[in-house]
């Protein structure tokens, strides 16, 4: 039993008049890998002489579309196939035609023929004729993700980073017969089922993630930065193909076509990356100069309000500028750094000049645990003791600048005229209440 190419003009001229039974593929989605054929009858008649739904009548027409491989099964064995689009007639007296087509199998014709010879007599054992179609398009939109972070040594950061990887990948069936024999469940042949990769792909997800880890390790070993992963789908796909070819292609007939990844870092890796990026930024002389200038301007604003006086604030800022220039200059040694230092020194000198001409703020007196001993009263007895403890004779304290307090006014008895003490309530001579 085999197939022969039908006359295109006759098919176009009227299927109802020439072939009363036509087999076409059931609707095939982007992720369907195999669908059964369905019969389309014309005029309410059929040449199915055996009276069974599982029989393809002699002379029936099989319709094949682009990027599909049709396999014809008789009695549980594959008896013929075609990867060419068009119309083909079932001929029980013909030998297998094995129409390879001029597209996908040009480079692997011998491999496909060898696989056909191995599986031609396999499969289910029943007296049936069936047609199935295998999807030869790229099977896209297959999602994946790593359950735990993957370690990635990045030579640029000189650190072991940890990343989570998720995204989508696609596959392509390269050897339909191996795929049919090793991947397609036998129950699908018996029950005429449509097989979607999503329903069988979970079996291979563990292998895919393990190979992805290996591919990422190879990508790291080749010296690639971790941030380049998302923009290197082609390279990553090649790594994946190298890792999975021995299992998926050679043993199961399909391979990884493309991999699209998105990565995210754990908190520790983010901190390392940010620290390294900040250090790299500050190693640039122009950025150093701008960084220092901004901090000097801020220092000038706050120096005048220093609690210990503006002079102390400007002097401290000058010391800090000297230290900062030495630290930042240690990153590089070039004319740009020298120019930055010169500008810093000029700004420091200007700050010091402003400090010398600026009025000094009076520092708040520190609380004393014990007042100092008073100096001996000056000659003449016109001395007074300041709140800061200094004994003085002038109108202002030379230590703190406080003004001499005014002497209390003298009081006299309203009855007898006797001089009274400042706090006396009764006259000591006549007893009159004051």
């Amino acid at each position: 039993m085999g197939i022969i190419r039908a006359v295109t003009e006759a098919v176009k001229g009227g299927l109802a008049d020439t072939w009363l039974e036509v087999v076409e593929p059931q609707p095939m989605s982007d992720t369907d890998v195999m669908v059964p054929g369905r019969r389309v009858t014309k005029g309410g008649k059929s040449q199915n002489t055996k009276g069974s739904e599982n029989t393809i009548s002699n002379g029936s027409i099989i319709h094949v579309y682009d990027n599909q491989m049709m396999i014809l099964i008789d009695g549980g064995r594959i008896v013929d196939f075609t990867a060419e689009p068009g119309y083909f007639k079932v001929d029980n007296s013909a030998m297998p035609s094995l129409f390879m087509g001029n597209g996908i199998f040009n480079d692997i014709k011998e491999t496909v023929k060898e696989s056909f010879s191995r599986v031609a007599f396999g499969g289910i054992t029943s007296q049936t004729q069936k047609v199935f179609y295998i999807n030869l398009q790229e099977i896209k939109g297959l999602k994946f993700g790593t359950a735990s972070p993957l370690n990635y040594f990045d030579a640029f950061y000189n650190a072991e980073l940890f990343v989570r990887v998720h995204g989508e990948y696609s596959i392509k069936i390269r050897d339909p017969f191996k795929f049919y024999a090793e991947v397609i469940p036998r129950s699908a042949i018996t029950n005429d089922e449509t097989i979607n990769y999503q329903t069988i792909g979970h079996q291979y997800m563990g292998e895919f993630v393990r190979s992805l880890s290996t591919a990422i390790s190879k990508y790291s070993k080749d010296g690639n930065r971790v941030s380049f992963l998302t923009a290197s789908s082609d390279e990553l796909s090649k790594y994946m193909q190298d890792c999975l070819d021995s299992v998926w292609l050679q043993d199961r007939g399909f391979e990884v076509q493309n991999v699209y990844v998105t990565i995210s870092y754990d908190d520790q890796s983010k901190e390392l990356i940010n620290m390294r990026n900040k250090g790299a930024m500050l190693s640039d002389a122009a950025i150093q100069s701008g960084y220092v200038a901004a901090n000097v301007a801020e220092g000038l604003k706050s120096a005048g309000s220093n609690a210990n006086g503006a002079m102390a604030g400007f002097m401290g800022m000058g010391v800090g500028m000297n230290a900062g220039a030495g630290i930042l200059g240690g990153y590089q040694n070039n004319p740009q750094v020298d120019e930055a230092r010169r500008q810093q020194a000029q700004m420091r000198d200007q700050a010091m000049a402003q400090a010398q001409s600026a009025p000094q703020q009076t520092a708040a007196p520190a609380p004393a645990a014990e007042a100092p001993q008073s100096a001996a009263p000056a000659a003449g007895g016109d001395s007074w003791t300041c709140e800061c403890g200094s004994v003085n004779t002038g109108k202002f304290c030379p230590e703190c600048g406080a003004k001499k307090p005014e002497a209390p006014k003298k009081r006299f008895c309203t009855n007898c005229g006797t001089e009274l003490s400042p706090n006396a309530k009764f006259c000591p001579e006549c007893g009159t209440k004051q």
Side-chain angles (χ1 to χ4, degrees), residues 70-344:
M70 184 278 297
I71 56 176
L72 179 61
I73 298 176
D74 181 28
R77 60 193 180 100
I78 299 176
V79 294
D80 208 345
F81 70 89
T82 179
E84 295 183 19
Y87 295 95
F88 299 86
K89 183 174 69 170
V90 177
D91 189 343
N92 290 332
S93 63
M95 295 294 291
S97 303
L98 310 182
F99 291 107
M100 298 296 296
N102 296 318
I104 185 173
F105 296 118
N106 278 347
D107 55 341
I108 55 172
K109 286 183 178 180
E110 295 304 322
T111 302
V112 172
K113 286 183 178 180
E114 181 181 354
S115 297
F116 170 75
S117 65
R118 292 180 179 179
V119 303
F121 295 96
I124 59 176
T125 56
S126 62
Q127 296 300 319
T128 58
Q129 293 89 36
K130 294 186 177 184
V131 173
F132 288 93
Y133 297 83
I134 296 177
N135 193 350
L136 302 182
Q137 283 188 322
E138 182 181 6
I139 309 298
K140 303 179 289 292
L142 309 175
K143 300 183 182 302
F144 70 91
T146 56
S148 57
L150 305 177
N151 61 314
Y152 188 102
F153 179 79
D154 194 310
F156 177 80
Y157 295 109
N158 194 29
E160 194 83 24
L161 305 177
F162 294 89
V163 297
R164 291 184 180 274
V165 182
H166 62 277
E168 296 183 355
Y169 71 101
S170 63
I171 65 167
K172 199 167 181 100
I173 299 172
R174 293 293 186 181
D175 191 331
F177 298 110
K178 284 183 181 177
F179 187 84
Y180 170 83
E182 302 296 335
V183 178
I184 299 299
R186 297 300 90 185
S187 60
I189 308 302
T190 304
N191 300 324
D192 292 342
E193 296 175 353
T194 294
I195 300 299
N196 189 286
Y197 185 80
Q198 302 285 18
T199 62
I200 58 174
H202 65 277
Q203 304 175 29
Y204 310 115
M205 183 55 68
E207 296 177 9
F208 179 88
V209 173
R210 286 195 300 271
S211 296
L212 178 66
S213 302
T214 303
I216 290 178
S217 297
K218 288 184 178 180
Y219 192 77
S220 168
K221 187 177 180 181
D222 288 348
N224 297 296
R225 288 179 59 178
V226 65
S227 57
F228 293 165
L229 270 174
T230 54
S232 303
S233 296
D234 292 342
E235 292 87 345
L236 196 59
S237 298
K238 184 179 182 304
Y239 282 118
M240 290 293 291
Q241 290 168 5
D242 293 342
C243 294
L244 289 173
D245 270 356
S246 60
V247 178
W248 283 16
L249 182 59
Q250 296 180 21
D251 296 343
R252 296 170 186 157
F254 69 101
E255 66 180 4
V256 173
Q257 187 75 2
N258 282 299
V259 181
Y260 306 94
V261 300
T262 301
I263 61 173
S264 58
Y265 307 97
D266 68 348
D267 293 339
Q268 184 179 3
S269 297
K270 288 180 182 178
E271 184 178 353
L272 287 172
I273 291 172
N274 292 335
M275 180 176 64
R276 173 64 176 83
N277 290 342
K278 185 175 182 181
M281 180 184 67
L282 289 178
S283 66
D284 183 273
I287 296 178
Q288 288 181 30
S289 179
Y291 180 81
V292 172
N295 282 273
V296 167
E298 188 65 27
L300 287 172
K301 290 169 60 178
S302 60
S305 60
N306 189 284
N308 295 319
M311 187 64 183
F314 283 119
M315 290 180 66
M317 191 187 74
V319 173
M321 287 173 63
N322 284 331
I327 293 172
L328 290 174
Y331 283 115
Q332 298 186 36
N333 185 17
N334 56 38
Q336 290 179 320
V337 175
D338 294 338
E339 177 63 20
R341 289 176 177 172
R342 187 190 67 77
Q343 294 177 1
Q344 293 162 12

